[in-house]
Amino acid sequence: MTESLVADTPINLLDLVDDGPRPDAAPGIRPRRVYIETYGCQMNVADSELMAGILTRQGYDAATGPEDADVILINTCAVRERAEERVLGRAATLNGHKKERPDVLLGICGCMAEHLRETIHERAPFVDLIIGPDAYRRLPALIEQAAGAEEHELAIDVRLDKAETYEGLTPLRRDGVNGWITIQRGCDKFCTFCIVPFTRGRERGVPPREILRQARELVAQGARSVTLLGQTVNSYRYEDVDFADLLRAVAQVEGVERIRFTSPYPVDFTPKLIEVMASEPRVCPYIHLPVQSGSDRMLKEMRRGHTIAEYRQLVADLRAAIPNLALSTDIIVGFPGETDEDYQRTVELIEEIRYDFAYLFKYSERSGTYAHKKLPDDVPEAVKGSRLSRLIEIQEAICLEKTTPYVGRIVQVLIAGESRKSEHDWVGKTDTFKTTIMPKVPGSEVGQIVSVQVEEVTSHTLKGHIVTRDESITS
Ligand code: 5AD
């Protein structure tokens, strides 16, 4: 299984919809061109859209690729070491553009900027800009500073700011059909393995007025599905508004056909939230509910704040309240001290819960975390590897078992775009987040929700044909 939380596709600003005036774009002067490449979680994708919004309003234009960019920004992830290594490799490759055109500026943004701020000048001395996740408002000023700087002088801003919610800044959206809205920044949970509280700072909720403004704006731009984002999204609170209140409010925004959220923290899943999910038809019956391990001992060491029995009860409550609920999870194997016995508990858990899919990771020690300081990374790499492969094998079989009953069913699919494999096919998602491929039919188009009869499945994909079309198809 791939680590599909890692977005491999670089974002090209040209794919984004320009939604605002660019006050500084003086007539006759070619605006500076920027290229943003994104790694990591959906929140990074949303942050790149935020940066693109800030820069276009300052007069910047989209580059078609790094080769015609004046400013190249890499938005990065620090959650596992491998993610960082990939970015450093990519930065070295992009440095080739600076060698050809010395005025080009190269920046590292996001979590890695925060994590490697002290060593980055050694590991990637050619980088001109280092910008942490709370400094994006100052991005234009930092670019100006770097442009005027002496060689090897770094423009850097990695201050974390517990008041920054980027209120009032409209992201430049990438995807027409699905819109991301960041509702919470930072994290206060301090799971012992996780670097996020250190790279993104303290948890803060975005004001509901801003979230609703963005939801309405997304609909106006053609989005039909909205995903609310936060590190522990259901811990959201802003004054007396909690996540359940917010979810209901967004689900009622005119034109939002589907609403999802990621990633919830099990402990903060309240009965009130389950009730909202069960009673709001536009909230999708799909939850990504990270568990990390099937062993109570490991959960305690990870400081997840719950036991397996409590998690199991939560899943039972969710399944009882929400028919046809699809579930996915995150699991780490090889956390410090994990024995064969602990690992076996994880195997048993995935066999018991039967997730629709799972993102499976080998533990990666991250400096600054509690685990790095106190818990030796003592599971040998080969053991981590074999535990991971076996889990992947078991989960793959469960994935297929989960998609098989779809054969013969009619599902509602939101068409997201053309299939990568054929210009004759659409690709879209069911409300349970299953990728579905179907041949285009006259009158069908991106953004429609169509009824699809499923004919065949693989472990991750449904294939079928459109049987009826919703009222918005006019031909
Ligand atoms: N090592 C391996 N996986 C990690 N994750 C977070 N930190 C680490 C780490 N140090 C995983 C968790 C989390 C997902 C986003 O990444 O499973 O839920």
Side-chain angles (χ1 to χ4, degrees):
M1 192 167 309
T2 51
E3 293 179 16
S4 31
L5 282 183
V6 176
D8 282 316
T9 342
I11 290 185
N12 182 350
L13 277 174
L14 279 185
D15 296 340
L16 305 173
V17 189
D18 192 351
D19 66 342
R22 296 182 308 196
D24 295 353
I29 298 174
R30 181 176 80 79
R32 257 192 282 178
R33 291 170 201 248
V34 63
Y35 173 75
I36 306 179
E37 201 165 287
T38 309
Y39 295 83
C41 61
Q42 283 95 334
M43 191 165 290
N44 268 6
V45 174
D47 278 356
S48 289
E49 293 180 344
L50 175 75
M51 287 190 257
I54 292 169
L55 289 172
T56 43
R57 266 181 298 282
Q58 288 294 317
Y60 284 81
D61 242 353
T64 48
E67 55 292 335
D68 77 334
D70 305 301
V71 181
I72 301 173
L73 300 175
I74 316 179
N75 192 7
T76 62
C77 170
V79 84
R80 281 170 293 275
E81 194 176 356
R82 205 172 67 102
E84 287 191 342
E85 281 162 4
R86 277 177 65 213
V87 164
L88 288 170
R90 182 66 181 145
T93 306
L94 290 170
N95 186 35
H97 297 285
K98 280 173 60 86
K99 286 186 186 143
E100 280 166 28
R101 295 175 293 130
D103 288 342
V104 170
L105 297 174
L106 180 59
I108 301 263
C109 312
C111 290
M112 241 176 102
E114 207 68 45
H115 184 219
L116 297 183
R117 61 185 173 224
E118 270 142 28
T119 54
I120 203 132
H121 59 275
E122 285 158 29
R123 300 182 71 176
F126 43 81
V127 164
D128 306 287
L129 286 144
I130 307 245
I131 303 148
D134 285 346
Y136 297 145
R137 274 181 204 273
R138 296 181 289 279
L139 191 52
L142 286 159
I143 293 174
E144 288 314 314
Q145 184 191 328
E150 299 290 319
E151 217 185 331
H152 300 311
E153 205 183 306
L154 201 59
I156 178 163
D157 192 338
V158 289
R159 276 175 291 175
L160 291 172
D161 175 355
K162 62 177 188 284
E164 179 60 279
T165 61
Y166 294 113
E167 186 173 7
L169 293 174
T170 299
L172 195 56
R173 313 283 182 182
R174 172 200 199 190
D175 180 340
V177 174
N178 303 293
W180 313 108
I181 303 179
T182 300
I183 68 157
Q184 175 197 58
R185 302 192 69 89
C187 186
D188 279 353
K189 300 297 185 199
F190 288 90
C191 300
T192 56
F193 52 80
C194 189
I195 199 166
V196 169
F198 305 95
T199 59
R200 286 187 170 271
R202 294 291 61 74
E203 180 183 320
R204 64 221 97 126
V206 177
R209 59 180 176 268
E210 173 68 21
I211 296 163
L212 291 169
R213 181 185 78 82
Q214 290 198 23
R216 289 189 201 102
E217 209 161 57
L218 275 169
V219 170
Q221 289 169 3
R224 299 196 77 186
S225 147
V226 163
T227 305
L228 305 181
L229 298 178
Q231 297 299 333
T232 57
V233 71
N234 57 332
S235 323
Y236 174 88
R237 179 160 274 280
Y238 189 87
E239 294 171 356
D240 55 355
V241 177
D242 67 12
F243 183 67
D245 300 327
L246 182 77
L247 186 64
R248 193 178 303 276
V250 178
Q252 286 171 2
V253 169
E254 184 77 27
V256 173
E257 298 293 337
R258 286 184 175 178
I259 174 163
R260 290 185 290 123
F261 53 88
T262 198
S263 289
Y265 187 68
V267 170
D268 292 327
F269 232 110
T270 59
K272 179 176 165 192
L273 175 54
I274 299 178
E275 204 280 312
V276 171
M277 289 194 72
S279 60
E280 281 294 338
R282 289 160 172 182
V283 177
C284 291
Y286 164 61
I287 306 171
H288 180 68
L289 192 63
V291 69
Q292 314 298 358
S293 170
S295 154
D296 278 334
R297 208 174 65 83
M298 290 293 100
L299 290 184
K300 200 160 180 212
E301 295 279 285
M302 291 173 168
R303 298 207 182 136
R304 292 289 291 170
H306 64 83
T307 62
I308 287 301
E310 285 159 343
Y311 184 89
R312 188 182 280 132
Q313 185 58 51
L314 172 60
V315 170
D317 292 346
L318 288 166
R319 284 182 165 157
I322 306 160
N324 198 28
L325 178 72
L327 272 182
S328 60
T329 199
D330 288 340
I331 284 173
I332 299 174
V333 296
F335 185 76
E338 185 186 68
T339 61
D340 284 340
E341 175 100 272
D342 293 313
Y343 170 68
Q344 194 49 37
R345 298 282 95 82
T346 301
V347 171
E348 285 162 14
L349 186 77
I350 69 165
E351 286 180 332
E352 175 195 329
I353 304 273
R354 310 201 91 71
Y355 294 101
D356 288 73
F357 55 95
Y359 299 100
L360 309 169
F361 308 106
K362 281 193 272 186
Y363 173 66
S364 165
E365 188 174 72
R366 306 282 57 212
S367 61
T369 59
Y370 178 88
H372 169 248
K373 290 184 195 144
K374 304 277 181 185
L375 308 171
D377 184 9
D378 57 1
V379 178
E381 190 56 32
V383 175
K384 286 181 187 172
S386 64
R387 287 180 184 170
L388 181 70
S389 328
R390 191 166 149 236
L391 219 51
I392 291 173
E393 224 172 87
I394 296 168
Q395 181 56 43
E396 273 297 296
I398 297 172
C399 288
L400 184 60
E401 187 191 297
K402 286 292 197 175
T403 52
T404 302
Y406 278 86
V407 176
R409 269 196 218 161
I410 290 177
V411 289
Q412 302 300 305
V413 179
L414 173 57
I415 301 177
E418 197 166 88
S419 153
R420 256 183 286 170
K421 291 199 185 136
S422 165
E423 58 179 308
H424 304 295
D425 291 342
W426 292 127
V427 63
K429 292 277 190 194
T430 65
D431 59 353
T432 51
F433 211 55
K434 294 271 183 276
T435 301
T436 309
I437 309 281
M438 60 263 155
K440 293 179 182 175
V441 296
S444 61
E445 58 188 49
V446 170
Q448 287 169 345
I449 296 177
V450 290
S451 297
V452 173
Q453 169 111 45
V454 180
E455 287 149 355
E456 51 181 305
V457 299
T458 63
S459 51
H460 295 279
T461 313
L462 315 180
K463 281 188 185 153
H465 65 275
I466 297 175
V467 285
T468 57
R469 292 166 279 157
D470 76 357
E471 64 292 342
S472 58
I473 299 184
T474 47
S475 72

mmCIF file with all atom_site columns, all heavy atoms in Angstrom, residues 6 19 37 39 45 57 82 104 138 152 169 177 179 201 251 267 273 348 353 381:
data_model
loop_
_atom_site.group_PDB
_atom_site.id
_atom_site.type_symbol
_atom_site.label_atom_id
_atom_site.label_alt_id
_atom_site.label_comp_id
_atom_site.label_asym_id
_atom_site.label_entity_id
_atom_site.label_seq_id
_atom_site.pdbx_PDB_ins_code
_atom_site.Cartn_x
_atom_site.Cartn_y
_atom_site.Cartn_z
_atom_site.occupancy
_atom_site.B_iso_or_equiv
_atom_site.pdbx_formal_charge
_atom_site.auth_seq_id
_atom_site.auth_comp_id
_atom_site.auth_asym_id
_atom_site.auth_atom_id
_atom_site.pdbx_PDB_model_num
ATOM 1   N N   . VAL A 1 6   ? 0.948   11.138  1.449   1.00 0.00 ? 6   VAL A N   1
ATOM 2   C CA  . VAL A 1 6   ? 2.028   11.925  0.865   1.00 0.00 ? 6   VAL A CA  1
ATOM 3   C C   . VAL A 1 6   ? 1.627   12.307  -0.553  1.00 0.00 ? 6   VAL A C   1
ATOM 4   O O   . VAL A 1 6   ? 1.471   11.449  -1.409  1.00 0.00 ? 6   VAL A O   1
ATOM 5   C CB  . VAL A 1 6   ? 3.338   11.119  0.858   1.00 0.00 ? 6   VAL A CB  1
ATOM 6   C CG1 . VAL A 1 6   ? 4.438   11.890  0.177   1.00 0.00 ? 6   VAL A CG1 1
ATOM 7   C CG2 . VAL A 1 6   ? 3.742   10.761  2.275   1.00 0.00 ? 6   VAL A CG2 1
ATOM 8   N N   . ASP A 1 19  ? -8.603  34.349  -8.351  1.00 0.00 ? 19  ASP A N   1
ATOM 9   C CA  . ASP A 1 19  ? -9.864  34.888  -7.838  1.00 0.00 ? 19  ASP A CA  1
ATOM 10  C C   . ASP A 1 19  ? -9.764  36.314  -7.323  1.00 0.00 ? 19  ASP A C   1
ATOM 11  O O   . ASP A 1 19  ? -10.637 36.795  -6.648  1.00 0.00 ? 19  ASP A O   1
ATOM 12  C CB  . ASP A 1 19  ? -10.383 33.992  -6.716  1.00 0.00 ? 19  ASP A CB  1
ATOM 13  C CG  . ASP A 1 19  ? -9.455  34.035  -5.511  1.00 0.00 ? 19  ASP A CG  1
ATOM 14  O OD1 . ASP A 1 19  ? -8.296  34.459  -5.682  1.00 0.00 ? 19  ASP A OD1 1
ATOM 15  O OD2 . ASP A 1 19  ? -9.898  33.676  -4.421  1.00 0.00 ? 19  ASP A OD2 1
ATOM 16  N N   . GLU A 1 37  ? 5.868   23.507  -5.108  1.00 0.00 ? 37  GLU A N   1
ATOM 17  C CA  . GLU A 1 37  ? 5.783   22.040  -5.131  1.00 0.00 ? 37  GLU A CA  1
ATOM 18  C C   . GLU A 1 37  ? 5.450   21.567  -3.715  1.00 0.00 ? 37  GLU A C   1
ATOM 19  O O   . GLU A 1 37  ? 6.064   22.036  -2.750  1.00 0.00 ? 37  GLU A O   1
ATOM 20  C CB  . GLU A 1 37  ? 7.151   21.491  -5.573  1.00 0.00 ? 37  GLU A CB  1
ATOM 21  C CG  . GLU A 1 37  ? 7.081   20.112  -6.119  1.00 0.00 ? 37  GLU A CG  1
ATOM 22  C CD  . GLU A 1 37  ? 8.360   19.751  -6.879  1.00 0.00 ? 37  GLU A CD  1
ATOM 23  O OE1 . GLU A 1 37  ? 8.564   20.260  -7.993  1.00 0.00 ? 37  GLU A OE1 1
ATOM 24  O OE2 . GLU A 1 37  ? 9.149   18.967  -6.352  1.00 0.00 ? 37  GLU A OE2 1
ATOM 25  N N   . TYR A 1 39  ? 4.680   18.636  -0.707  1.00 0.00 ? 39  TYR A N   1
ATOM 26  C CA  . TYR A 1 39  ? 4.847   17.287  -0.157  1.00 0.00 ? 39  TYR A CA  1
ATOM 27  C C   . TYR A 1 39  ? 4.053   17.209  1.135   1.00 0.00 ? 39  TYR A C   1
ATOM 28  O O   . TYR A 1 39  ? 3.830   18.223  1.791   1.00 0.00 ? 39  TYR A O   1
ATOM 29  C CB  . TYR A 1 39  ? 6.334   17.017  0.127   1.00 0.00 ? 39  TYR A CB  1
ATOM 30  C CG  . TYR A 1 39  ? 7.145   16.991  -1.153  1.00 0.00 ? 39  TYR A CG  1
ATOM 31  C CD1 . TYR A 1 39  ? 7.600   18.183  -1.721  1.00 0.00 ? 39  TYR A CD1 1
ATOM 32  C CD2 . TYR A 1 39  ? 7.370   15.810  -1.834  1.00 0.00 ? 39  TYR A CD2 1
ATOM 33  C CE1 . TYR A 1 39  ? 8.288   18.183  -2.921  1.00 0.00 ? 39  TYR A CE1 1
ATOM 34  C CE2 . TYR A 1 39  ? 8.060   15.796  -3.038  1.00 0.00 ? 39  TYR A CE2 1
ATOM 35  C CZ  . TYR A 1 39  ? 8.509   16.983  -3.579  1.00 0.00 ? 39  TYR A CZ  1
ATOM 36  O OH  . TYR A 1 39  ? 9.169   16.977  -4.769  1.00 0.00 ? 39  TYR A OH  1
ATOM 37  N N   . VAL A 1 45  ? -1.229  20.759  1.243   1.00 0.00 ? 45  VAL A N   1
ATOM 38  C CA  . VAL A 1 45  ? -1.848  21.131  -0.030  1.00 0.00 ? 45  VAL A CA  1
ATOM 39  C C   . VAL A 1 45  ? -2.641  22.424  0.186   1.00 0.00 ? 45  VAL A C   1
ATOM 40  O O   . VAL A 1 45  ? -2.532  23.385  -0.588  1.00 0.00 ? 45  VAL A O   1
ATOM 41  C CB  . VAL A 1 45  ? -2.774  19.997  -0.546  1.00 0.00 ? 45  VAL A CB  1
ATOM 42  C CG1 . VAL A 1 45  ? -3.524  20.436  -1.790  1.00 0.00 ? 45  VAL A CG1 1
ATOM 43  C CG2 . VAL A 1 45  ? -1.960  18.732  -0.819  1.00 0.00 ? 45  VAL A CG2 1
ATOM 44  N N   . ARG A 1 57  ? -2.104  37.769  -5.152  1.00 0.00 ? 57  ARG A N   1
ATOM 45  C CA  . ARG A 1 57  ? -2.626  39.097  -4.820  1.00 0.00 ? 57  ARG A CA  1
ATOM 46  C C   . ARG A 1 57  ? -1.523  40.148  -4.730  1.00 0.00 ? 57  ARG A C   1
ATOM 47  O O   . ARG A 1 57  ? -1.785  41.334  -4.791  1.00 0.00 ? 57  ARG A O   1
ATOM 48  C CB  . ARG A 1 57  ? -3.455  39.046  -3.536  1.00 0.00 ? 57  ARG A CB  1
ATOM 49  C CG  . ARG A 1 57  ? -4.950  38.855  -3.848  1.00 0.00 ? 57  ARG A CG  1
ATOM 50  C CD  . ARG A 1 57  ? -5.795  38.835  -2.602  1.00 0.00 ? 57  ARG A CD  1
ATOM 51  N NE  . ARG A 1 57  ? -5.437  37.727  -1.742  1.00 0.00 ? 57  ARG A NE  1
ATOM 52  C CZ  . ARG A 1 57  ? -5.832  36.467  -1.960  1.00 0.00 ? 57  ARG A CZ  1
ATOM 53  N NH1 . ARG A 1 57  ? -6.604  36.180  -2.980  1.00 0.00 ? 57  ARG A NH1 1
ATOM 54  N NH2 . ARG A 1 57  ? -5.441  35.504  -1.160  1.00 0.00 ? 57  ARG A NH2 1
ATOM 55  N N   . ARG A 1 82  ? 12.071  9.862   5.926   1.00 0.00 ? 82  ARG A N   1
ATOM 56  C CA  . ARG A 1 82  ? 12.109  9.626   4.484   1.00 0.00 ? 82  ARG A CA  1
ATOM 57  C C   . ARG A 1 82  ? 11.536  10.827  3.702   1.00 0.00 ? 82  ARG A C   1
ATOM 58  O O   . ARG A 1 82  ? 12.036  11.183  2.639   1.00 0.00 ? 82  ARG A O   1
ATOM 59  C CB  . ARG A 1 82  ? 11.307  8.364   4.157   1.00 0.00 ? 82  ARG A CB  1
ATOM 60  C CG  . ARG A 1 82  ? 11.738  7.678   2.883   1.00 0.00 ? 82  ARG A CG  1
ATOM 61  C CD  . ARG A 1 82  ? 11.024  6.344   2.767   1.00 0.00 ? 82  ARG A CD  1
ATOM 62  N NE  . ARG A 1 82  ? 9.603   6.537   2.563   1.00 0.00 ? 82  ARG A NE  1
ATOM 63  C CZ  . ARG A 1 82  ? 8.995   6.410   1.384   1.00 0.00 ? 82  ARG A CZ  1
ATOM 64  N NH1 . ARG A 1 82  ? 9.683   6.102   0.312   1.00 0.00 ? 82  ARG A NH1 1
ATOM 65  N NH2 . ARG A 1 82  ? 7.699   6.600   1.277   1.00 0.00 ? 82  ARG A NH2 1
ATOM 66  N N   . VAL A 1 104 ? 17.289  33.136  -9.744  1.00 0.00 ? 104 VAL A N   1
ATOM 67  C CA  . VAL A 1 104 ? 16.186  32.316  -9.231  1.00 0.00 ? 104 VAL A CA  1
ATOM 68  C C   . VAL A 1 104 ? 16.331  32.142  -7.714  1.00 0.00 ? 104 VAL A C   1
ATOM 69  O O   . VAL A 1 104 ? 17.432  31.943  -7.207  1.00 0.00 ? 104 VAL A O   1
ATOM 70  C CB  . VAL A 1 104 ? 16.184  30.924  -9.919  1.00 0.00 ? 104 VAL A CB  1
ATOM 71  C CG1 . VAL A 1 104 ? 15.216  29.976  -9.234  1.00 0.00 ? 104 VAL A CG1 1
ATOM 72  C CG2 . VAL A 1 104 ? 15.846  31.061  -11.392 1.00 0.00 ? 104 VAL A CG2 1
ATOM 73  N N   . ARG A 1 138 ? 4.018   36.843  5.640   1.00 0.00 ? 138 ARG A N   1
ATOM 74  C CA  . ARG A 1 138 ? 5.220   37.641  5.371   1.00 0.00 ? 138 ARG A CA  1
ATOM 75  C C   . ARG A 1 138 ? 6.004   37.126  4.164   1.00 0.00 ? 138 ARG A C   1
ATOM 76  O O   . ARG A 1 138 ? 7.104   37.595  3.886   1.00 0.00 ? 138 ARG A O   1
ATOM 77  C CB  . ARG A 1 138 ? 6.102   37.669  6.626   1.00 0.00 ? 138 ARG A CB  1
ATOM 78  C CG  . ARG A 1 138 ? 5.408   38.366  7.799   1.00 0.00 ? 138 ARG A CG  1
ATOM 79  C CD  . ARG A 1 138 ? 6.255   38.444  9.040   1.00 0.00 ? 138 ARG A CD  1
ATOM 80  N NE  . ARG A 1 138 ? 6.439   37.169  9.707   1.00 0.00 ? 138 ARG A NE  1
ATOM 81  C CZ  . ARG A 1 138 ? 5.551   36.589  10.538  1.00 0.00 ? 138 ARG A CZ  1
ATOM 82  N NH1 . ARG A 1 138 ? 4.413   37.209  10.817  1.00 0.00 ? 138 ARG A NH1 1
ATOM 83  N NH2 . ARG A 1 138 ? 5.796   35.419  11.089  1.00 0.00 ? 138 ARG A NH2 1
ATOM 84  N N   . HIS A 1 152 ? 24.294  33.793  -0.317  1.00 0.00 ? 152 HIS A N   1
ATOM 85  C CA  . HIS A 1 152 ? 24.331  32.939  0.877   1.00 0.00 ? 152 HIS A CA  1
ATOM 86  C C   . HIS A 1 152 ? 23.727  33.583  2.107   1.00 0.00 ? 152 HIS A C   1
ATOM 87  O O   . HIS A 1 152 ? 23.879  33.101  3.217   1.00 0.00 ? 152 HIS A O   1
ATOM 88  C CB  . HIS A 1 152 ? 25.757  32.458  1.196   1.00 0.00 ? 152 HIS A CB  1
ATOM 89  C CG  . HIS A 1 152 ? 26.339  31.666  0.073   1.00 0.00 ? 152 HIS A CG  1
ATOM 90  N ND1 . HIS A 1 152 ? 25.653  30.634  -0.534  1.00 0.00 ? 152 HIS A ND1 1
ATOM 91  C CD2 . HIS A 1 152 ? 27.517  31.773  -0.572  1.00 0.00 ? 152 HIS A CD2 1
ATOM 92  C CE1 . HIS A 1 152 ? 26.404  30.141  -1.503  1.00 0.00 ? 152 HIS A CE1 1
ATOM 93  N NE2 . HIS A 1 152 ? 27.535  30.823  -1.561  1.00 0.00 ? 152 HIS A NE2 1
ATOM 94  N N   . LEU A 1 169 ? -7.614  35.662  4.511   1.00 0.00 ? 169 LEU A N   1
ATOM 95  C CA  . LEU A 1 169 ? -6.806  35.391  3.315   1.00 0.00 ? 169 LEU A CA  1
ATOM 96  C C   . LEU A 1 169 ? -7.460  34.265  2.509   1.00 0.00 ? 169 LEU A C   1
ATOM 97  O O   . LEU A 1 169 ? -7.678  33.178  3.034   1.00 0.00 ? 169 LEU A O   1
ATOM 98  C CB  . LEU A 1 169 ? -5.396  34.987  3.704   1.00 0.00 ? 169 LEU A CB  1
ATOM 99  C CG  . LEU A 1 169 ? -4.582  36.099  4.355   1.00 0.00 ? 169 LEU A CG  1
ATOM 100 C CD1 . LEU A 1 169 ? -3.246  35.565  4.832   1.00 0.00 ? 169 LEU A CD1 1
ATOM 101 C CD2 . LEU A 1 169 ? -4.373  37.256  3.368   1.00 0.00 ? 169 LEU A CD2 1
ATOM 102 N N   . VAL A 1 177 ? -13.621 20.730  -7.840  1.00 0.00 ? 177 VAL A N   1
ATOM 103 C CA  . VAL A 1 177 ? -14.749 19.980  -7.289  1.00 0.00 ? 177 VAL A CA  1
ATOM 104 C C   . VAL A 1 177 ? -14.650 19.794  -5.783  1.00 0.00 ? 177 VAL A C   1
ATOM 105 O O   . VAL A 1 177 ? -15.635 19.864  -5.065  1.00 0.00 ? 177 VAL A O   1
ATOM 106 C CB  . VAL A 1 177 ? -14.838 18.598  -7.986  1.00 0.00 ? 177 VAL A CB  1
ATOM 107 C CG1 . VAL A 1 177 ? -15.893 17.728  -7.338  1.00 0.00 ? 177 VAL A CG1 1
ATOM 108 C CG2 . VAL A 1 177 ? -15.137 18.786  -9.457  1.00 0.00 ? 177 VAL A CG2 1
ATOM 109 N N   . GLY A 1 179 ? -12.964 21.053  -2.253  1.00 0.00 ? 179 GLY A N   1
ATOM 110 C CA  . GLY A 1 179 ? -12.241 22.166  -1.625  1.00 0.00 ? 179 GLY A CA  1
ATOM 111 C C   . GLY A 1 179 ? -11.795 21.787  -0.227  1.00 0.00 ? 179 GLY A C   1
ATOM 112 O O   . GLY A 1 179 ? -12.516 21.112  0.509   1.00 0.00 ? 179 GLY A O   1
ATOM 113 N N   . GLY A 1 201 ? 3.313   24.197  15.970  1.00 0.00 ? 201 GLY A N   1
ATOM 114 C CA  . GLY A 1 201 ? 2.959   24.995  17.141  1.00 0.00 ? 201 GLY A CA  1
ATOM 115 C C   . GLY A 1 201 ? 1.639   24.602  17.780  1.00 0.00 ? 201 GLY A C   1
ATOM 116 O O   . GLY A 1 201 ? 1.078   23.552  17.494  1.00 0.00 ? 201 GLY A O   1
ATOM 117 N N   . ALA A 1 251 ? -22.336 21.909  6.795   1.00 0.00 ? 251 ALA A N   1
ATOM 118 C CA  . ALA A 1 251 ? -23.182 20.989  6.012   1.00 0.00 ? 251 ALA A CA  1
ATOM 119 C C   . ALA A 1 251 ? -24.437 21.692  5.511   1.00 0.00 ? 251 ALA A C   1
ATOM 120 O O   . ALA A 1 251 ? -25.066 21.241  4.559   1.00 0.00 ? 251 ALA A O   1
ATOM 121 C CB  . ALA A 1 251 ? -23.557 19.785  6.854   1.00 0.00 ? 251 ALA A CB  1
ATOM 122 N N   . VAL A 1 267 ? -10.274 10.225  21.056  1.00 0.00 ? 267 VAL A N   1
ATOM 123 C CA  . VAL A 1 267 ? -10.757 10.677  22.365  1.00 0.00 ? 267 VAL A CA  1
ATOM 124 C C   . VAL A 1 267 ? -11.785 11.813  22.241  1.00 0.00 ? 267 VAL A C   1
ATOM 125 O O   . VAL A 1 267 ? -12.679 11.945  23.068  1.00 0.00 ? 267 VAL A O   1
ATOM 126 C CB  . VAL A 1 267 ? -9.552  11.134  23.225  1.00 0.00 ? 267 VAL A CB  1
ATOM 127 C CG1 . VAL A 1 267 ? -10.003 11.839  24.486  1.00 0.00 ? 267 VAL A CG1 1
ATOM 128 C CG2 . VAL A 1 267 ? -8.652  9.949   23.554  1.00 0.00 ? 267 VAL A CG2 1
ATOM 129 N N   . LEU A 1 273 ? -21.172 14.684  18.204  1.00 0.00 ? 273 LEU A N   1
ATOM 130 C CA  . LEU A 1 273 ? -20.615 14.646  16.849  1.00 0.00 ? 273 LEU A CA  1
ATOM 131 C C   . LEU A 1 273 ? -21.183 13.451  16.070  1.00 0.00 ? 273 LEU A C   1
ATOM 132 O O   . LEU A 1 273 ? -21.527 13.565  14.889  1.00 0.00 ? 273 LEU A O   1
ATOM 133 C CB  . LEU A 1 273 ? -19.079 14.583  16.924  1.00 0.00 ? 273 LEU A CB  1
ATOM 134 C CG  . LEU A 1 273 ? -18.333 14.425  15.606  1.00 0.00 ? 273 LEU A CG  1
ATOM 135 C CD1 . LEU A 1 273 ? -18.736 15.499  14.587  1.00 0.00 ? 273 LEU A CD1 1
ATOM 136 C CD2 . LEU A 1 273 ? -16.817 14.459  15.832  1.00 0.00 ? 273 LEU A CD2 1
ATOM 137 N N   . GLU A 1 348 ? -4.417  -8.394  15.044  1.00 0.00 ? 348 GLU A N   1
ATOM 138 C CA  . GLU A 1 348 ? -5.766  -8.802  15.466  1.00 0.00 ? 348 GLU A CA  1
ATOM 139 C C   . GLU A 1 348 ? -6.758  -7.651  15.331  1.00 0.00 ? 348 GLU A C   1
ATOM 140 O O   . GLU A 1 348 ? -7.903  -7.853  14.941  1.00 0.00 ? 348 GLU A O   1
ATOM 141 C CB  . GLU A 1 348 ? -5.739  -9.296  16.918  1.00 0.00 ? 348 GLU A CB  1
ATOM 142 C CG  . GLU A 1 348 ? -5.123  -10.680 17.053  1.00 0.00 ? 348 GLU A CG  1
ATOM 143 C CD  . GLU A 1 348 ? -4.680  -11.011 18.483  1.00 0.00 ? 348 GLU A CD  1
ATOM 144 O OE1 . GLU A 1 348 ? -5.075  -10.287 19.435  1.00 0.00 ? 348 GLU A OE1 1
ATOM 145 O OE2 . GLU A 1 348 ? -3.919  -11.971 18.638  1.00 0.00 ? 348 GLU A OE2 1
ATOM 146 N N   . ILE A 1 353 ? -11.505 -5.054  13.129  1.00 0.00 ? 353 ILE A N   1
ATOM 147 C CA  . ILE A 1 353 ? -12.239 -3.844  12.694  1.00 0.00 ? 353 ILE A CA  1
ATOM 148 C C   . ILE A 1 353 ? -12.565 -3.910  11.199  1.00 0.00 ? 353 ILE A C   1
ATOM 149 O O   . ILE A 1 353 ? -13.599 -3.468  10.773  1.00 0.00 ? 353 ILE A O   1
ATOM 150 C CB  . ILE A 1 353 ? -11.433 -2.559  13.002  1.00 0.00 ? 353 ILE A CB  1
ATOM 151 C CG1 . ILE A 1 353 ? -11.079 -2.482  14.481  1.00 0.00 ? 353 ILE A CG1 1
ATOM 152 C CG2 . ILE A 1 353 ? -12.161 -1.306  12.502  1.00 0.00 ? 353 ILE A CG2 1
ATOM 153 C CD1 . ILE A 1 353 ? -12.086 -1.842  15.402  1.00 0.00 ? 353 ILE A CD1 1
ATOM 154 N N   . GLU A 1 381 ? 15.486  -2.467  11.967  1.00 0.00 ? 381 GLU A N   1
ATOM 155 C CA  . GLU A 1 381 ? 14.880  -2.063  10.692  1.00 0.00 ? 381 GLU A CA  1
ATOM 156 C C   . GLU A 1 381 ? 14.253  -3.262  9.968   1.00 0.00 ? 381 GLU A C   1
ATOM 157 O O   . GLU A 1 381 ? 13.142  -3.175  9.426   1.00 0.00 ? 381 GLU A O   1
ATOM 158 C CB  . GLU A 1 381 ? 15.973  -1.394  9.837   1.00 0.00 ? 381 GLU A CB  1
ATOM 159 C CG  . GLU A 1 381 ? 15.503  -0.706  8.581   1.00 0.00 ? 381 GLU A CG  1
ATOM 160 C CD  . GLU A 1 381 ? 14.426  0.362   8.795   1.00 0.00 ? 381 GLU A CD  1
ATOM 161 O OE1 . GLU A 1 381 ? 14.407  1.036   9.858   1.00 0.00 ? 381 GLU A OE1 1
ATOM 162 O OE2 . GLU A 1 381 ? 13.569  0.506   7.883   1.00 0.00 ? 381 GLU A OE2 1
#
